[in-house]
Amino acid sequence: MADSSSDPGPKVSSPAANALIYVTLIAFLVLGMFAGWRSHRNAGLFLKAIKSQSVVSLSLNFLAVNIGSGIFFSLPEVGTIAGITGVFAYAFAAGAPLFLFAIVGPMFRKHNSKQWSMTAFVRERYGRPLHKLYGIICTLFVGMYMVSELTTIYGVFQLLTPLHPLTPMIIICVITTIYTAFGGVFASLMTDAIQCVLIFVLIIIAVITVGVSVRPSKEDIERAGLVKPTKMGGELFVILTLAIAFSDMYHQGFWQRTFASRNDHDLRWATFFGFWLVFVVTALVGMAGPLAAWAGTWSPDSDVPGSSAFFTIIASMPGWVSGLTLVLTTSLSCCAIDTCQTAMFASLYDLVEQKVSIWVVRIVVILLNIPVIFLAMRAPDILQVYLLADLLASATILPVLIGLIKRFNFVHWTDALVGCFGGIIAVGAFGQTYLGNRHDGWRLLLLDGGLYVNDERVLGTFCFAPLGSVVFTFFFSGLRMAISRALGCHQYWYVNTIPLAENDEEEQEKKESQSKPPLRVFPNQESNAAPTNNNEQFGQTNGNDTDKLTAFSRKFIFSH
């Protein structure tokens, strides 16, 4: 939890704080209910919202799912430790993974044109065992995001207001739960887009105000440092990019927005614009760290932690800036919490394979808010929560994504499962080798030393975790196939028998007709041309046999 003991900022009075917080929340409640009016009776929009968002809306939603009120703590802290290089490393790492969704998203649609979540793909490709594991991890992952977000808003309310933070924190969860339970994914998408416009405007106003009021001299900048490139800043480019990219793969909010794009072209443009929105916002907020050091409102020798550097600048601003910050953090929290709630709903609904009533899943999501709030009040460190989640994702996601590549259709769910555990084992083995003893080496899995260390242990951790998962996956796959071959057993091979949607079939036929040259038939040869049945010639099944195979829904075919 953010350290508020130093109390760096002026508090907004209780009446003003209540007015700003609850007026903002009521406005978002009205907006969410209005947006959900279209989707609350439409199961497709409520659960999936597939192909419903334009480039502009999707770009803003990619910004919404990438940021939360935690940026006011974590980003300036990076700036106070790794300088400007660290700020730009964090800004790049936060936005760059969006391009991965522009690549992987169309691959999912090619696998199943009606795809709407990552967990659905895992069930189709690997079967129930790995689907259950992935669904549980996704649910825990989103829960950790909610804990970190509520921990942050708890700290912000402590710093800026005399209110007890628990009450407004609970109200935020209640408000977002009401309109997401009413309108589902579509309501979250629409409210996030409008909220991000407001957030972007507020951040620009805050930046202009700070830029006019805080003007450090050249001597102050040189004395504080943080301008020259640092080794840690360079390492953060690699560490944060890998950590955030892999962790985003487990966040259903990203997948919901990916599949909400109208087509692949819109998805690519949305990720491009979304990257720059994320980069600009995170870079501007992160620069508060170096700026606080240059202006003298924060120093390494003070009792104020680097995570509170942003609020030391707010303390030197006019009182209305604190109120603006309060509205901004409330808006960011609404964006983050409603995204997490809809993502948790999707993960749980897929986990039970959509065999349970939607209302049952809604109630479960509402009840899960209780332990999340309880943990948020006692979370020791926001960054530590993120680090553990990122490491788990780095060690387990690549064996799942391998299933998208047809060349690796021989990979069985047991291979992927071994690969997931292999990624974790690889981290422990690296730690034991690098640190020289078993105890400290395997404690590297907890990353209790934090992100900012003077050696390469964290860099090696986030490099060896995905590498080890891939190596273990293919090693066990080769071993399994060798044993099966020696015993004379059939070899596993995955075949996708999911039928294309009608529109996708038409597009596929159109592409094939455009790629093939036209067939020229001369009048004197037309009557002599013998029809050729390609299916009979090559021994393939005809249309009726294909329908029977699809009806039988065999997704896993075994052949010699």
Side-chain angles (χ1 to χ4, degrees):
M1 186 173 295
D3 185 3
S4 61
S5 60
S6 54
D7 196 16
K11 293 182 182 294
V12 181
S13 65
S14 294
N18 283 319
L20 290 172
I21 293 173
Y22 296 121
V23 168
T24 303
L25 291 177
I26 291 173
F28 289 154
L29 175 61
V30 173
L31 177 63
M33 298 298 287
F34 179 78
W37 187 258
R38 177 182 171 186
S39 58
H40 79 287
R41 294 183 180 178
N42 186 324
L45 288 177
F46 183 91
L47 294 173
K48 309 173 184 179
I50 295 178
K51 299 181 179 180
S52 64
Q53 301 299 304
S54 64
V55 173
V56 175
S57 175
L58 203 59
S59 301
L60 293 170
N61 268 277
F62 278 130
L63 172 63
V65 76
N66 260 293
I67 60 176
S69 57
I71 63 175
F72 295 122
F73 289 101
S74 58
L75 285 167
E77 184 180 21
V78 173
T80 60
I81 296 173
I84 294 178
T85 309
V87 171
F88 283 98
Y90 206 132
F92 173 82
L98 292 178
F99 295 119
L100 189 60
F101 288 94
I103 298 172
V104 179
M107 297 174 67
F108 276 110
R109 280 180 169 165
K110 189 175 181 181
H111 175 86
N112 182 357
S113 59
K114 297 180 180 180
Q115 194 69 262
W116 69 291
S117 70
M118 180 73 165
T119 47
F121 161 76
V122 175
R123 184 177 67 251
E124 295 164 358
R125 172 60 178 86
Y126 290 109
R128 285 194 176 97
L130 199 62
H131 163 251
K132 299 295 184 186
L133 176 63
Y134 182 85
I136 292 172
I137 293 178
C138 280
T139 305
L140 293 175
F141 211 85
V142 175
M144 293 172 74
Y145 266 94
M146 288 185 66
V147 169
S148 62
E149 182 60 33
L150 291 176
T151 300
T152 303
I153 198 65
Y154 191 96
V156 172
F157 288 156
Q158 275 188 326
L159 287 170
L160 296 181
T161 74
L163 304 176
H164 192 285
L166 181 60
T167 301
M169 187 172 69
I170 293 175
I171 298 298
I172 288 176
C173 291
V174 171
I175 294 294
T176 54
T177 299
I178 290 173
Y179 69 74
T180 54
F182 178 72
V185 176
F186 186 78
S188 176
L189 294 173
M190 298 305 295
T191 53
D192 282 358
I194 297 174
Q195 286 166 349
C196 275
V197 174
L198 173 63
I199 290 168
F200 197 77
V201 171
L202 293 177
I203 287 178
I204 295 300
I205 294 174
V207 168
I208 294 174
T209 304
V210 172
V212 172
S213 304
V214 182
R215 296 183 179 181
S217 64
K218 184 177 179 181
E219 292 75 15
D220 293 333
I221 295 176
E222 292 177 352
R223 183 178 63 255
L226 304 177
V227 176
K228 296 180 180 179
T230 61
K231 176 187 175 183
M232 181 175 293
E235 291 179 354
L236 288 179
F237 268 102
V238 179
I239 296 172
L240 292 176
T241 301
L242 291 175
I244 296 175
F246 291 134
S247 64
D248 287 352
M249 298 287 108
Y250 274 106
H251 196 318
Q252 288 283 22
F254 284 93
W255 293 114
Q256 288 170 341
R257 281 145 183 80
T258 298
F259 299 131
S261 61
R262 292 176 179 173
N263 50 57
D264 296 340
H265 179 266
D266 285 0
L267 175 61
R268 286 189 287 269
W269 278 110
T271 54
F272 175 77
F273 292 126
F275 165 78
W276 285 109
L277 287 172
V278 172
F279 184 87
V280 170
V281 170
T282 51
L284 289 176
V285 175
M287 283 302 297
L291 185 60
W294 298 335
T297 61
W298 175 88
S299 69
D301 300 328
S302 67
D303 295 332
V304 180
S307 58
S308 297
F310 174 83
F311 296 96
T312 64
I313 294 180
I314 298 300
S316 64
M317 297 286 103
W320 64 268
V321 178
S322 296
L324 180 69
T325 305
L326 194 59
V327 174
L328 184 57
T329 52
T330 303
S331 303
L332 284 167
S333 289
C334 281
C335 276
I337 296 300
D338 71 18
T339 299
C340 288
Q341 287 175 338
T342 54
M344 184 178 289
F345 176 88
S347 299
L348 291 174
Y349 195 53
D350 261 348
L351 188 60
V352 297
E353 301 181 20
Q354 306 176 29
K355 295 179 180 178
V356 178
S357 170
I358 291 177
W359 279 104
V360 174
V361 182
R362 284 175 177 173
I363 294 172
V364 171
V365 172
I366 293 172
L367 294 176
L368 285 176
N369 280 276
I370 299 174
V372 165
I373 293 173
F374 179 81
L375 291 173
M377 296 174 61
R378 290 160 175 78
D381 186 2
I382 301 168
L383 184 60
Q384 191 70 18
V385 174
Y386 278 123
L387 278 177
L388 292 176
D390 293 345
L391 180 57
L392 178 63
S394 300
T396 57
I397 191 60
L398 284 185
V400 176
L401 294 180
I402 285 173
L404 281 170
I405 304 174
K406 290 183 178 180
R407 185 179 302 175
F408 302 136
N409 278 358
F410 59 84
V411 175
H412 191 258
W413 72 266
T414 54
D415 308 332
L417 183 62
V418 170
C420 293
F421 286 104
I424 298 174
I425 293 173
V427 172
F430 161 76
Q432 183 173 344
T433 303
Y434 183 79
L435 298 177
N437 65 86
R438 183 182 302 173
H439 179 266
D440 293 339
W442 286 91
R443 279 188 65 84
L444 196 57
L445 288 168
L446 302 177
L447 291 173
D448 50 5
L451 177 62
Y452 310 112
V453 294
N454 296 322
D455 54 22
E456 288 76 29
R457 67 180 70 184
V458 179
L459 177 64
T461 296
F462 280 97
C463 289
F464 274 90
L467 179 62
S469 66
V470 173
V471 170
F472 270 81
T473 297
F474 286 117
F475 174 78
F476 187 80
S477 180
L479 180 64
R480 175 184 54 79
M481 289 190 295
I483 295 175
S484 298
R485 190 177 294 111
L487 296 176
C489 300
H490 294 287
Q491 295 293 340
Y492 169 85
W493 188 265
Y494 171 80
V495 176
N496 181 13
T497 59
I498 301 173
L500 291 172
E502 183 178 351
N503 295 336
D504 296 321
E505 290 177 347
E506 292 176 358
E507 291 179 3
Q508 186 69 19
E509 292 175 358
K510 185 178 180 180
K511 289 181 181 179
E512 291 177 355
S513 64
Q514 290 176 351
S515 62
K516 294 180 180 180
L519 180 64
R520 298 180 62 186
V521 181
F522 295 96
N524 59 346
Q525 295 179 350
E526 186 173 359
S527 58
N528 298 327
T532 303
N533 190 332
N534 291 329
N535 290 337
E536 294 178 0
Q537 178 180 353
F538 294 103
Q540 297 178 356
T541 59
N542 56 27
N544 294 332
D545 293 335
T546 303
D547 293 340
K548 292 178 182 178
L549 179 62
T550 303
F552 192 58
S553 66
R554 287 295 304 272
K555 296 184 177 62
F556 303 98
I557 294 181
F558 296 82
S559 60
H560 286 289

